[in-house]
Amino acid sequence: MKLRVLGCHGGELPTCKSTCFLVDDVLALDAGALTGSLTLEELCRVDHILVGHSHFDHVKDLPLMADLVIGRRDKPVTIHASRECTKALRDNMFNNALWPDFTRIPTRANPVLQLKSFRAGSSFQVGPYHVRSVPVSHPVESCGFIISNGKSTLAMSGDTGPTDKLWKALNKTENLKALLLETSFPNKLQSLADISGHLTPYTLEQELKKFRRNGASVMLYHLKPAFVAQLKKELATLPVDVLELGDTFEL
């Protein structure tokens, strides 16, 4: 399983890109940096996109991608999202007001995008990957994912504050090679992190006590651009790696 970091921040500046990972060139995890990181040819190879929740920084490139790949693919790009997230995308993005409804363009029978909803907590197949969704703690319905190709397994926390379901699921997961784990705000903004459903280095340290790693790497993403330097200082003593744009891994 090949993992490519297209975006690993909780927002954007010239040196930061919003959350987006690419697995084996065909499966995107969130859509915060698709069009700003991939060539047109690479975009056209993406068949599936797993969306953890509906917040803008995780879905913002969906409409732009649709506009770019129209007429260049024989089948729709499938967006997999929870029921609540799917409704938010239909009502607020692909509504012919904010953006054309590319789930019906050029035709209903053969659109550029198709939205496929899942129940939070369910398991399902995405191409060659078995995916388990795990509800996590965030102001809107948010899911982490455990993704397996039958040989190795990758997990992603999604946006979350302190949680238990994710750790219980991960502790039962075999062949877990890596966990992509969010950490957003420095410790001085703990109250903001708590309100907004995110982790700080302090709460991250507490959460990791729930995790039986069994050799899995813990890779941090979603650092808020305004606080990257401070976060790296506060994370320096923890057994984690902070992801950088362009990182690639063979899992």
Side-chain angles (χ1 to χ4, degrees), residues 22-41:
L22 190 63
V23 176
D24 297 333
D25 298 324
V26 296
L27 170 63
L29 310 180
D30 281 341
L34 285 170
T35 60
S37 301
L38 299 179
T39 66
L40 182 56
E41 290 73 21

Side-chain angles (χ1 to χ4, degrees), residues 21 26 29 36 38 48 82 130 143-144 161 202 219 234 238 242:
F21 303 97
V26 296
L29 310 180
L38 299 179
H48 300 273
S82 70
H130 179 269
C143 289
Y202 172 75
M219 304 174 177
E234 295 180 4
L238 297 181
V242 177

Side-chain angles (χ1 to χ4, degrees), residues 45-180:
R45 289 198 288 270
V46 177
D47 290 326
H48 300 273
I49 303 172
L50 272 173
V51 176
H53 70 295
S54 60
H55 282 163
F56 184 74
D57 56 321
H58 298 261
V59 302
K60 70 178 187 64
D61 280 5
L62 295 177
L64 299 177
M65 179 185 181
D67 196 45
L68 286 166
V69 304
I70 190 169
R72 293 179 175 271
R73 289 179 50 91
D74 296 327
K75 58 182 180 180
V77 179
T78 303
I79 301 168
H80 305 266
S82 70
R83 292 172 180 173
E84 184 177 297
C85 182
T86 299
K87 184 178 187 303
L89 292 174
R90 289 192 185 280
D91 292 348
N92 302 300
M93 180 173 282
F94 300 111
N95 59 5
N96 290 317
L98 185 69
W99 201 253
D101 185 359
F102 277 100
T103 67
R104 299 187 177 190
I105 295 173
T107 67
R108 291 190 180 190
N110 187 33
V112 179
L113 304 177
Q114 65 175 353
L115 289 168
K116 192 169 184 179
S117 66
F118 60 81
R119 178 181 54 81
S122 65
S123 298
F124 48 94
Q125 199 72 19
V126 175
Y129 308 96
H130 179 269
V131 178
R132 178 179 176 183
S133 64
V134 183
V136 291
S137 179
H138 204 53
V140 297
E141 185 172 71
S142 183
C143 289
F145 298 112
I146 301 172
I147 304 155
S148 175
N149 64 0
K151 297 180 180 179
S152 58
T153 302
L154 167 70
M156 179 177 178
S157 70
D159 280 15
T160 185
T163 185
D164 290 317
K165 290 181 180 180
L166 179 65
W167 303 114
K168 290 178 181 179
L170 292 176
N171 288 339
K172 297 177 181 178
T173 298
E174 296 181 358
N175 299 318
L176 180 64
K177 303 301 183 182
L179 167 62
L180 306 173

